[in-house]
Amino acid sequence: QIHLVESGGGLVQSGGSLRLSCEASGHALDYHSVGWFRQIPGKEYEGVSCISSRHGTTYYADSVKGRFTISSDNAKNTVYLQMNSLKPEDTAVYYCAAANSVTPKSWDSIYEYDYWGQGTQVTVSS
């Protein structure tokens, strides 16, 4: 059982930055893939980014490429999402999730992930 806790969300102006953290407990993330998803109320989850903590392979949604960077610190059992050049359309609740493994075609599917955090709100004002 992996317990995930997100932090780092908040209110930021357009063009600003935030760094989200996803801290895991109960199991090491070394051999898992960790993804970030976001959801706007009434809409489906959107895969934002994913990292294979073992291999360091990363994936990004086209909408965030060049602006967001995912990284992991296995010693701290934590995955980060650095978000720069934020836009109002980035406003959402951001969730991290852990999977045993993902593929380039499946990393953004919520069905690949077994463990989820409670979410953290990110609001970008224009």
Side-chain angles (χ1 to χ4, degrees), residues 20-102:
L20 304 183
S21 299
C22 174
E23 184 174 1
S25 60
H27 202 285
L29 290 177
D30 300 51
Y31 294 92
H32 288 77
S33 295
V34 177
W36 285 97
F37 290 79
R38 63 188 181 187
Q39 188 186 33
I40 299 170
K43 296 194 174 182
E44 294 184 353
Y45 286 90
E46 176 190 9
V48 174
S49 184
C50 177
I51 185 167
S52 166
S53 295
R54 181 178 185 183
H55 301 291
T57 305
T58 59
Y59 306 98
Y60 295 96
D62 288 343
S63 58
V64 306
K65 278 180 183 176
R67 300 189 297 123
F68 291 11
T69 303
I70 192 169
S71 62
S72 64
D73 185 335
N74 289 343
K76 295 183 177 180
N77 222 24
T78 299
V79 171
Y80 303 98
L81 185 68
Q82 178 67 44
M83 306 187 296
N84 298 329
S85 303
L86 283 162
K87 305 175 181 180
E89 50 264 44
D90 294 318
T91 295
V93 178
Y94 283 70
Y95 299 88
C96 67
N100 286 330
S101 65
V102 298

